[in-house]
């Protein structure tokens, strides 16, 4: 029987074909790009972090330019634009500067869409953008709709797309009509299925919780009225993987309970597996940098599902355009009667 590792190691392999170029803005380590490259799209990443760029270049076919994007950056032409623009947690109703905030990535993303005029584009962001910062999301969507796109957004949970983790993100897509989001997959992958025998193994980078850390965790869970311990439960999908709960020695950190009762922090490789990264995907930089890359990434299996919908959309658009051309080339019925 094929294991989860077998599946992601086989499915998530770059397989560049004749699909159009994808510009991947705020690309991180390439989780989103990996899903697109596995569906045949060539990619070009834009990312300011040096370790992320190194990881992207090492694992993917596409290049990654180390650059800090802003609204004045000149982008190359492409039919597809994707990315995860950083968004400052504020409402436009407050005293902040909205799209004029220098820390915000959306002006650069909107500028790219204006310049490139792609057939289809998308960005992903945290679920709070739909709720706490809904005013700001409305402003961004209004700007993008003014460019002539049909803009839709949907809260998607990665667990519904063969990712062993409950991870909700808002996925915003701009298109010319007839785009369909990925269908939900009823099968759910548990953390135990994803990690297999890894939880009972110890490696050189295994870090165990000390007695004082165990006491701190117990105090944290009691203070927060935690009913279910924050340990990794192997019989269900993981809770959301983040930079903080992977690398940080906090009460909320991900940790495994071993058969002898000891608890240890997840390794980079284990965090990557919960994010659906294949085992061959190598993270460059320090351990802390690798944890940050894993925690910030779009799960590649979620990206793979979205990229498949992009492929269907672009191919159906080509078919529709070809049909329209044939119609225009055929003599009208009135012309035939006159002849």
């Amino acid at each position: 029987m094929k294991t989860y590792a077998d599946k992601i190691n086989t499915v998530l392999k770059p397989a560049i074909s004749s699909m159009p170029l994808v510009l991947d803005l705020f690309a991180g380590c390439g989780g989103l790009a990996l899903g697109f490259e596995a569906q045949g799209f060539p990619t070009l990443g834009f990312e300011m972090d040096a370790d992320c760029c190194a990881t992207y270049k090492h694992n993917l076919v596409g290049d990654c330019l180390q650059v800090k994007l802003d609204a004045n950056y000149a982008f190359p032409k492409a039919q597809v634009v994707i990315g995860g623009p950083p968004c400052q947690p504020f409402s436009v109703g407050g005293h902040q500067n909205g799209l004029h905030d220098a820390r915000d990535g959306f002006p650069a993303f909107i500028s790219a869409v204006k310049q490139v005029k792609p057939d289809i584009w998308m960005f992903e962001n945290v679920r709070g953008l739909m709720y706490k910062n809904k005013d700001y999301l409305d402003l961004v969507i209004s700007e993008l709709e003014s460019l002539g796109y049909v803009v839709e957004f949907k809260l998607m949970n990665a667990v519904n797309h063969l990712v062993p983790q409950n991870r909700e993100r808002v996925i915003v897509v701009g298109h010319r009509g007839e785009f369909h989001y990925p269908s939900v997959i009823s099968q759910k992958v548990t953390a135990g299925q994803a990690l297999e025998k890894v939880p009972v193994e110890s490696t050189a980078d295994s870090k165990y919780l000390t007695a004082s850390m165990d006491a701190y965790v117990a105090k944290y869970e009691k203070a927060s009225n935690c009913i279910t311990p924050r340990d990794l439960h192997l019989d269900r999908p993981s809770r959301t993987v983040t930079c903080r709960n992977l690398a940080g020695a906090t009460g909320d950190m991900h940790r495994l309970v071993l058969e002898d009762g000891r608890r240890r922090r997840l390794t980079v490789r284990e965090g990557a597996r919960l994010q659906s990264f294949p085992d061959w995907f190598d993270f460059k930089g320090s351990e802390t940098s690798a944890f940050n890359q894993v925690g910030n990434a779009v799960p590649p299996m979620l990206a793979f599902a979205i990229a498949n919908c992009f492929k269907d959309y672009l191919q159906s658009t080509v078919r529709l355009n070809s049909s329209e051309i044939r119609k225009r080339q055929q003599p009208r019925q009135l012309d035939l009667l006159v002849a």
Side-chain angles (χ1 to χ4, degrees), residues 2-273:
K2 182 176 286 190
T3 66
Y4 183 72
D6 291 335
K7 183 176 182 62
I8 58 177
N9 289 337
T10 302
V11 170
L12 293 172
K13 285 186 177 179
I16 307 306
S17 64
S18 58
M19 297 303 294
L21 176 66
V22 174
L23 302 186
D24 184 11
L25 280 55
F26 309 99
C29 67
L32 191 53
L34 176 56
F36 273 78
E37 286 201 356
Q39 288 284 6
F41 289 90
T43 70
L44 175 60
F46 299 83
E47 170 58 46
M48 65 181 293
D49 183 86
D51 288 342
C52 285
C53 282
T55 297
Y56 193 116
K57 291 180 179 182
H58 178 76
N59 295 284
L60 300 170
V61 175
D63 194 11
C64 186
L65 306 179
Q66 187 181 351
V67 60
K68 184 175 181 179
L69 295 178
D70 58 36
N72 298 315
Y73 190 86
F75 294 92
K77 291 298 180 183
Q79 285 182 254
V80 182
V81 174
I82 62 176
C87 173
Q88 295 304 313
F90 57 77
S91 167
V92 291
H95 301 290
Q96 301 291 344
N97 295 317
L99 287 172
H100 302 292
D101 194 301
R103 302 166 297 168
D104 191 32
F106 279 103
F109 189 90
I110 294 170
S111 176
V113 174
K114 282 182 181 178
Q115 292 178 47
V116 176
K117 299 178 175 62
D119 294 331
I120 186 170
W121 53 260
M122 68 143 289
F123 66 79
E124 68 87 31
N125 213 286
V126 296
R127 70 189 302 274
L129 196 61
M130 289 180 60
Y131 303 104
K132 182 180 177 182
N133 298 310
K134 181 63 164 54
D135 289 343
Y136 186 63
L137 176 61
D138 289 341
L139 176 62
V140 170
I141 288 177
S142 178
E143 289 281 327
L144 291 163
E145 284 179 332
S146 72
L147 302 178
Y149 292 96
V150 176
V151 180
E152 299 181 78
F153 63 91
K154 184 174 183 178
L155 188 64
M156 297 182 66
N157 193 332
V159 77
N160 295 322
H161 304 281
L162 299 180
V163 178
Q165 173 194 166
N166 281 293
R167 187 186 190 89
E168 289 186 316
R169 292 293 184 268
V170 57
I171 306 297
V172 182
V173 180
H175 55 88
R176 308 293 186 185
E178 298 303 319
F179 173 80
H180 301 284
Y181 281 86
S183 299
V184 169
I185 297 175
S186 58
Q187 174 191 358
K188 301 295 182 287
V189 182
T190 68
Q193 289 171 324
L195 299 182
E196 300 171 46
K197 296 180 180 180
V198 173
V200 298
E201 297 175 351
S202 293
T203 61
D205 55 349
S206 294
K207 291 184 172 61
Y208 295 90
L209 274 67
T210 63
S212 61
M213 292 175 71
D214 277 330
Y216 174 80
V217 167
K219 184 178 179 181
Y220 170 88
E221 292 184 342
K222 181 178 180 180
S224 58
N225 297 316
C226 181
I227 298 174
T228 304
R230 306 293 275 170
D231 303 317
L232 186 68
H233 300 279
L234 301 179
D235 61 345
R236 67 190 75 167
S238 163
R239 57 192 168 92
T240 304
V241 169
T242 69
C243 304
R244 185 172 181 271
N245 64 31
L246 280 180
T250 67
D252 193 48
M253 72 184 294
H254 273 288
R255 64 257 175 177
L256 281 163
V257 181
L258 305 185
E259 292 177 350
D260 59 9
R262 290 183 302 166
R263 294 192 287 189
R264 68 168 174 81
R265 186 179 74 172
L266 296 186
T267 64
V268 170
R269 205 68 261 164
E270 289 165 345
R273 186 77 71 79

